[in-house]
């Protein structure tokens, strides 16, 4: 199983990826998570990446390509989330892997819903659970995690000005990939503006119809 979860920020890729990773035992490779960890650890990549992330722009592709190449090396089964984000990155990925991708799942969600989801997202610094002030039983001013009491925080790039920029960056740089993968017969479109369980059920249907799991690599 070699999947790319693809779509704008806030489309629900991370939520679905986490569940797929757990249910199928497949590695979830989220370039956003990898970069954020590098920023916290102040590694060389992290130091270079932080200003781009905070401004809602794209981190230079040479950094991402290196990260992804190292991560995927020797992996027959993976779930990419947040990469590729440009046609150049997609070309790099296809040259990198002699085993082709099985499917690219595009999550479609209207822009106003994305803005609401992203600006309402809060993460617990302690247990790392992700909540949303719109639907998770927390309020927009709440600072304590309802599970562990840890501090809830908003990602710097989820502030409203940065969200607008990220969505613009998506339509300028990442949307062209839809055609790239459609032409290659890999694209599967999914309505992401539904409860996560319904989206997950669709993904499972797709994986079953293609007979994909983590042993069939
Ligand atoms: P995400 O968590 O996927 O929304 O990513 C957070 C931020 O990390 C993005 O806004 C970019 O600044 C950076 N980033 C993640 N993946 C990539 C990528 N494939 N190419 C360039 N920048 C990326």
């Amino acid at each position: 199983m070699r999947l790319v979860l693809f779509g704008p920020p806030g489309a629900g890729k991370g939520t679905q990826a986490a569940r797929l990773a757990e249910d199928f035992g497949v590695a979830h490779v989220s370039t956003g998570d990898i970069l954020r960890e590098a920023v916290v650890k102040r590694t060389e990549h992290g130091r270079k990446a932080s200003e781009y992330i905070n401004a809602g722009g794209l981190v230079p592709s040479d950094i991402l390509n290196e990260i992804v190449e190292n991560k995927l090396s020797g992996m027959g089964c993976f779930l990419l989330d947040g990469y590729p984000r440009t046609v150049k990155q997609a070309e790099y990925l296809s040259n990198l892997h002699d085993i082709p991708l099985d499917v690219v799942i595009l999550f479609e969600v209207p822009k106003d819903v994305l803005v609401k989801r992203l600006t309402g997202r809060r993460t617990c610094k302690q247990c790392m659970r992700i909540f949303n002030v719109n639907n998770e039983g927390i309020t927009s001013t709440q600072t304590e995690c309802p599970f562990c009491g840890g501090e809830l925080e908003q990602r710097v790039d989820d502030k409203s000005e940065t969200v607008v920029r990220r969505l613009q960056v998506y339509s300028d740089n990442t949307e062209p990939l839809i055609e790239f993968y459609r032409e290659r017969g890999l694209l599967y479109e999914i309505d992401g503006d539904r409860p996560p369980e319904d989206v997950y059920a669709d993904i499972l249907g797709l994986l079953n119809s293609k007979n994909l799991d983590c042993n069939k690599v």
Side-chain angles (χ1 to χ4, degrees), residues 9 31-33 35-36 52-53 56-59 64 81-85 89 155 157 166:
T31 48
D33 286 349
L35 288 170
R36 278 184 290 278
Y52 297 98
I53 297 175
L58 291 183
V59 174
L64 270 302
D81 161 14
Y83 180 98
R85 257 176 157 97
Q89 290 181 7
R155 267 170 54 173
D157 58 345
R166 287 165 68 202

Side-chain angles (χ1 to χ4, degrees), residues 86-99:
T86 65
V87 172
K88 287 256 175 270
Q89 290 181 7
E91 285 167 347
Y92 188 88
L93 178 65
S94 58
N95 292 331
L96 177 72
H97 241 251
D98 45 359
I99 319 168

Side-chain angles (χ1 to χ4, degrees), residues 38-190:
V39 170
V40 170
K41 290 187 174 157
R42 303 184 60 77
T43 66
E44 194 192 332
H45 281 158
R47 282 197 302 272
K48 284 187 190 153
S50 68
E51 62 177 296
Y52 297 98
I53 297 175
N54 293 347
L58 291 183
V59 174
S61 285
D62 53 340
I63 296 182
L64 270 302
N65 292 341
E66 189 186 325
I67 288 174
V68 168
E69 182 165 3
N70 288 336
K71 268 276 175 200
L72 297 191
S73 138
M75 239 184 221
C77 219
F78 57 80
L79 195 58
L80 270 171
D81 161 14
Y83 180 98
R85 257 176 157 97
T86 65
V87 172
K88 287 256 175 270
Q89 290 181 7
E91 285 167 347
Y92 188 88
L93 178 65
S94 58
N95 292 331
L96 177 72
H97 241 251
D98 45 359
I99 319 168
L101 294 173
D102 293 310
V103 66
V104 174
I105 304 176
L106 168 64
F107 292 70
E108 292 180 303
V109 178
K111 193 172 167 188
D112 57 325
V113 176
L114 294 171
V115 171
K116 205 169 158 204
R117 283 187 189 173
L118 288 164
T119 54
R121 184 159 62 181
R122 303 287 183 273
T123 310
C124 173
K125 280 168 103 168
Q126 199 161 287
C127 69
M128 301 313 288
R129 280 193 173 85
I130 297 171
F131 302 90
N132 204 292
V133 300
N134 303 301
N135 56 16
E136 299 279 359
I138 63 163
T139 64
S140 55
T141 51
Q142 188 162 336
T143 52
E144 247 184 39
C145 172
F147 276 90
C148 74
E151 191 187 337
L152 291 180
E153 66 176 358
Q154 183 178 39
R155 267 170 54 173
V156 185
D157 58 345
D158 280 345
K159 309 256 187 237
S160 53
E161 327 73 72
T162 318
V163 161
V164 171
R165 164 121 164 88
R166 287 165 68 202
L167 293 175
Q168 189 59 46
V169 166
Y170 174 80
S171 63
D172 292 346
N173 299 276
T174 312
E175 249 171 12
L177 273 178
I178 296 176
E179 229 18 71
F180 179 94
Y181 283 124
R182 187 175 283 136
E183 278 168 9
R184 284 157 181 78
L186 286 171
L187 197 74
Y188 179 86
E189 291 160 69
I190 216 164

